[in-house]
């Protein structure tokens, strides 16, 4: 174990081995010291590999969690999009029905207006006809009943 303290040290970040100068006459002790140094190097490499593996595992776990969250957000966005589409389609159908009802109402009002205009034309024609008949009746009354002659200003004067 005393030999162990004289073994080579491994630099932390440099990964460089520093070997002591070969002053020891005992080759067995030197070989044993080299074995200890190699074991230390291997332990350092194993520790570094475990640390790297742990970091990689942590990164994978984190990436998986972010992927799950992203998938959940994507699914939520798809659901929201489907709901918006359904709502928009429903509103569009409602608007179409309202438009159809409005068009039907307008057509019905146009039909009523046409009927009223026709009745008004008929009434005007009947009124003209009634005026003509009234004028004929008035003329007949003047000529036959009153035996009067209209004077210059268009008034009737009775004959005595």
């Amino acid at each position: 174990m005393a030999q162990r303290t004289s073994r080579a040290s491994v630099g932390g970040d440099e990964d460089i081995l520093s070997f002591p100068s070969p002053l020891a006459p005992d080759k067995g002790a030197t070989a044993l010291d080299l074995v200890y140094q190699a074991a230390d190097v291997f332990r350092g490499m194993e520790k570094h590999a475990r640390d790297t593996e742990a970091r990689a595992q942590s990164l994978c776990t984190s990436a998986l969690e972010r992927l799950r969250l992203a998938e959940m957000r994507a699914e939520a966005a798809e659901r929201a999009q489907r709901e918006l589409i359904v709502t928009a389609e429903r509103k569009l159908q409602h608007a179409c029905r309202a438009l159809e009802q409005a068009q039907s109402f307008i057509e019905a009002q146009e039909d009523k207006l046409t009927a009223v205009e026709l009745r008004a034309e008929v009434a005007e024609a009947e009124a003209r006809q009634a005026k003509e008949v009234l004028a004929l009746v008035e003329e007949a009354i003047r000529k036959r009943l009153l035996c009067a002659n209209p004077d210059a200003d268009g008034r009737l004067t009775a004959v005595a």
Side-chain angles (χ1 to χ4, degrees), residues 54-108:
R55 280 194 307 276
Q57 188 70 26
S58 175
L59 288 173
C60 286
T61 302
S62 175
L64 280 173
E65 186 60 28
R66 287 193 313 263
L67 179 62
R68 281 190 205 111
L69 291 174
E71 287 175 345
M72 289 170 50
R73 284 192 304 267
E75 289 172 2
E78 287 173 1
R79 275 193 308 274
Q81 182 182 21
R82 283 191 300 269
E83 289 172 6
L84 283 174
I85 289 171
V86 167
T87 300
E89 286 176 350
R90 195 177 315 127
K91 287 180 180 179
L92 183 59
Q93 288 173 353
H94 179 70
C96 286
R97 281 193 299 271
L99 180 61
E100 289 171 357
Q101 290 173 348
Q103 286 174 336
S104 295
F105 179 76
I106 289 170
E107 288 172 3

Side-chain angles (χ1 to χ4, degrees), residues 140-158:
I141 289 174
R142 264 190 224 133
K143 285 184 181 178
R144 302 201 184 210
L145 293 177
L146 297 177
C147 295
N149 292 326
D151 61 10
D153 63 355
R155 290 191 194 167
L156 294 178
T157 54

Side-chain angles (χ1 to χ4, degrees), residues 98-159:
L99 180 61
E100 289 171 357
Q101 290 173 348
Q103 286 174 336
S104 295
F105 179 76
I106 289 170
E107 288 172 3
Q109 294 302 318
E110 287 174 347
D111 290 345
K112 286 180 183 179
L113 179 62
T114 302
V116 167
E117 287 173 346
L118 287 175
R119 285 195 301 266
E121 288 176 8
V122 168
E124 287 174 0
E126 288 175 352
R128 278 192 300 274
Q129 191 178 25
K131 273 186 174 180
E132 291 172 3
V133 170
L134 184 58
L136 290 175
V137 168
E138 188 177 301
E139 181 73 25
I141 289 174
R142 264 190 224 133
K143 285 184 181 178
R144 302 201 184 210
L145 293 177
L146 297 177
C147 295
N149 292 326
D151 61 10
D153 63 355
R155 290 191 194 167
L156 294 178
T157 54
V159 180

Side-chain angles (χ1 to χ4, degrees), residues 24-32:
D26 186 12
K27 294 190 183 230
T30 303
L32 187 59

